[in-house]
Amino acid sequence: MIDLSILLQIVWTGLAASSYAILFAVAFALVVKVVKVWNFAQAGVMALSFYVMYAAHNKFAIPLLASVGIGLAATISANIFMDRYGLQTLRNRNSPSLTFFIFTLVVSEFLAYLLAMIFGTEPVALKPSIMSGVNIVYGVVISNWDIEAVCVTIGLLLVLYLFMYKTRDGQFMAAVADNPELSRFYGINVTRAYVITFVIAGVLVTAGMYLFGTKASIIPNTPLQMMLFAVIATLLGGMGRIFAAALAAITLSLIQGLSIFVIPSEWQGLILYVFLFITILFFPQGVSLQKFKQLMAPLTINKPLHKKGI
Amino acid sequence: MEYFISLAVLLGIYITLSSSFNLIIGYGGLVSIAHPIFFALGAYTTGLMAIHFQTNPALAVLAGGGVAFVSSAMLSLPSLRISGDYLLITSIGFQLGLLEVIKHVSFTGGASGLGNIPNVVEGSSRSAVFAIISCLIAAVVVWMIRWLLRGPYGRVIAAMRDDELAFSALGRNAMMIKLTLFAIGSGFAGIAGGIYAYYFQYISPDQFEILQSAMLLTMVVVGGMGSQWGPVVGAVLLLLLPQAIGFLNLPSSVMAPLQGVIFTTLVLAFLFWRPQGLIGSNQRQSEGGA
Amino acid sequence: MKPSNRRRMLALSALIMSAVFANVATAQSKETLKFGLAMPLSGSQALYGADQVKAAQWAVADINAKGGVNGKQLEMIVVDTQADPQLGINAVKRLTSVDNVPVLITAWSSVVKAVAPIANRDKVLELSVGANSPDIAKLGDYVYTTFPLAEVDVSALSKHTYTTLGKKTAAVLYINNDSGVEGAAIYKGVFEKAGGKVVAYEAYDSKATEFTGALLKVKASNPDIIHIQGLVADLPQVIAQMRQLGLQQRVSTYSAGYNPKVIEQLGAAAEGLIVTSLAPGVSDNPNVEPFINRWKESEKRVPNGLPYTQYLYDGPYLVAELYKWIEKNKLPATGENLRKALITVKNFELPLTGGLSVGEDHRVNKPVYLLTVDKGQFVPLATIK
């Protein structure tokens, strides 16, 4: 009953539009994996990234690509600064997870307020016009923005994959993710691993904000609202599996888009929360085939349930 | 004068909220930030009962507390299986998810809020009456929490908080205690919600968002988590500070974000230089830091 | 008492008395006619709020320059609501209990609703200028609107679309918040009553940036015209994605779309867009053009939300009229009396928005001006009385 071209259209546009969400989810998941922190400060850094690019391009008339470069530099610096002076201090004190949460959330709020003070709260986009050229391929509308978004995302994910699996630094990061103490014991520079993680996160975030900012307009608070999606994707993917998080992000996006055929449009916003609950309750380690089978078997739960932190 | 009296109403409400929140995360050790949703449940229950059934105000407020008390199980039961960061995320999801439902359902007024809650105190001394009731309730709540923590249960709770593994090994049932603390704390929040609904006669979902969670969290952290007077001090400070800034009469486009900047800087400063809060608690030294 | 002492006493009391009288006299000449203005000066709505406040400030200055009301100056006290209900309540409380104003002007539906209890309890006249939620008519004795509520312009547009523009089927897209839901329902009701058919009725989340699903459903229903009940922030994105997905139908929206920014962001995709305005345009009222020129001179741009600024400019004039009635009838300046003035005088002639007739049902009726985008500019399309 569903027209094929409509299905294809929703799939394509949904995929393209989920590009920035994927980048944000992977950035978030990477930090969770290596640094072991649920980095809600990412929202504030996302806002910072956008506004630096916006200011450079719109207030100082710097060409777009260069503005993105400046934004990138600002984002990475902010990340590293936050890790070095913020997270490290808390790590040294063995602070409980609540403290980390408060810190990262407050950093995001601080940045949001600061940006509101400087730039006001009028919705702004990176470019004055949000329309982009359109091409029609086999009845499916493909806009130039779509193409750019998909290419950028695939490109970055590919580079990330190669980095994580083919370079020494990438492997060190995986080791640190597994066991920081042991890694240090073996001479791996844990701090360097953290720094590289935040650099990569900075790149993903800046790319994501560039894509988002050329499609829609934002206010300083917008990134905080986008964090929920990144969190759920990370959870679904499972701790320590960033490409699973990317897959989860794509799946969530598609489900949200396709749900319009099944549920009334007003309730679409609730889907994310439903997923969050199901994930936490039944798949706290992330979705995997093994876990699914486990759940389907008679419910004899004899797992160690008390975990302090992660 | 009227201005200060209405401030007193808010003060009473927020002291109730922060103290009950502290009971849950400071003493119960449950990392949930969903406290505002129980505040909301109480407010909506009371408001709806007042509008549709013209219930006796005291009854309506208690009903609000009751609904919050019972519905806390929706969050606390799953929380027994998960802990730490997972519980945190779950509580955020619970709060925001329930708010989404409230926004989409018509009998709660939806996203535009529930208005026309009937006025139950007529006359010029209305604010004073509310201020007295609100502060009285705050006092009762603080006192009850003190009583709870001082009595025989107090030692049990402290033991559970300090070392849960040993606690369970000794055969003690941490689960029931956690559930109870969660329910009590949420119930108090519901009562605060009832007062709130009657005073303002208008409630809307955006008043119970993550910003509210952050505010409560700040009050507890700045005041001193795990101490009995800490949250009270935190509530007083964090309510009066924005008012004070407001009177500076700065250009308004800068004023609101500036308040936010000062606010958040304050929290960050506390997190780093005085993690135990204004009223430091020595009981948590074993865990180190805040 | 010794005679010299008595004389001293008399002299002293004379001195005191004269001082008192002098104070009273100066106090009287300094006496101002106060009213409050609660607007978003910060926050996401600030760009509209700030312009509306400016318009009101100009009006107060203009009125006072011409001698005020019977020689007394109007004094407007401005507070920030950030268009947030809670902050609105705080701000209005300051107005009523610290500044003791008997009448205040406010806007943004959620704030109007949130502060209504205060107005009703403290007997302060609340004038809602610009908010359009239909609920406003039922907020209590002391809440009146000078701006037509949603049913006026959306109904007029809907009916006109069917009867005059001849569109038999319509699709309705709306944002999932109170103004969207209410406005969409009104549009649908009127359209179907006039004889038309609403073939698609889809909501989108207020935080959404991607509307493909809803838009494809609309596309599949093949309507003659598409009506969007959204906000100025999401409207351009919806239309942009709509055009990119190949929906070429004409689009209509309500007054939120009457904003040059929309044309700027959409470029050619905005052509044909129909919007409503509840304030007279340049060709309908001779005062409008000088008003716009005044903006261009002092701010080097046109105001954000021109119709709303027109209403806010007229706000102080309305308040001045109420005070005039009070002065004429020698009544104290209380909220109760100002309200009496409003319902007794009932009909007012205001500079930038023309005639105002305050109904007993707390509603006002105004002509609806339809405009459309033609070659990148808004041009008048029709006027519906």
Side-chain angles (χ1 to χ4, degrees), chain A residues 217-230:
Chain A
S217 28
I218 80 165
I219 61 174
N221 264 324
T222 313
L224 201 56
Q225 295 164 355
M226 304 200 307
M227 286 307 290
L228 188 68
F229 189 88

Side-chain angles (χ1 to χ4, degrees), chain B residues 29-285:
Chain B
L30 290 162
V31 186
S32 150
I33 63 161
H35 211 55
I37 194 65
F38 299 107
F39 183 36
L41 283 171
Y44 270 98
T45 306
T46 307
L48 286 168
M49 287 182 79
I51 293 178
H52 296 289
F53 304 115
Q54 286 90 46
T55 326
N56 177 312
L59 233 59
V61 171
L62 280 174
V67 168
F69 182 90
V70 169
S71 40
S72 70
M74 281 200 283
L75 186 57
S76 59
L77 280 174
S79 81
L80 299 172
R81 297 183 50 181
I82 49 185
S83 58
D85 293 326
Y86 281 122
L87 180 54
L88 190 64
I89 309 280
T90 311
S91 66
I92 297 177
F94 181 76
Q95 176 182 355
L96 294 180
L98 214 53
L99 278 174
E100 272 296 306
V101 173
I102 292 179
K103 282 187 213 174
H104 284 58
V105 173
S106 60
F107 77 89
T108 59
S112 55
L114 188 68
N116 285 333
I117 299 176
N119 186 11
V120 289
V121 180
E122 300 286 343
S124 53
S125 49
R126 178 182 189 266
S127 289
V129 172
F130 267 103
I132 294 175
I133 296 181
S134 159
C135 292
L136 216 64
I137 291 185
V140 167
V141 166
V142 171
W143 182 83
M144 277 183 78
I145 293 180
R146 262 177 83 82
W147 174 82
L148 191 68
L149 296 171
R150 286 248 148 125
Y153 264 122
R155 275 190 293 259
V156 174
I157 293 170
M160 179 190 78
R161 187 184 69 187
D162 286 338
D163 197 331
E164 192 168 323
L165 212 54
F167 189 76
S168 321
L170 286 172
R172 289 306 208 128
N173 195 348
M175 185 174 94
M176 274 318 293
I177 297 186
K178 284 194 179 186
L179 285 178
T180 314
L181 285 179
F182 204 107
I184 295 179
S186 306
F188 284 148
I191 292 184
I195 304 284
Y196 186 86
Y198 271 126
Y199 184 60
F200 289 105
Q201 297 178 261
Y202 171 80
I203 52 181
S204 74
D206 357 278
Q207 294 162 348
F208 307 106
E209 296 268 0
I210 293 285
L211 212 60
Q212 190 75 266
S213 304
M215 186 153 151
L216 289 179
L217 205 52
T218 308
M219 285 179 185
V220 169
V221 165
V222 166
M225 199 158 56
S227 83
Q228 289 161 20
W229 293 111
V232 178
V233 172
V236 171
L237 195 66
L238 260 71
L239 265 187
L240 295 184
L241 198 63
Q243 305 290 337
I245 301 178
F247 276 103
L248 284 178
N249 280 324
L250 299 161
S252 345
S253 57
V254 175
M255 175 91 87
L258 184 66
Q259 276 183 358
V261 168
I262 295 181
F263 210 72
T264 47
T265 314
L266 201 79
V267 178
L268 289 172
F270 265 97
L271 270 183
F272 285 102
W273 281 292
R274 206 183 154 84
Q276 70 270 41
L278 280 169
I279 314 251
S281 118
N282 297 314
Q283 291 144 313
R284 302 210 83 183
Q285 296 298 28

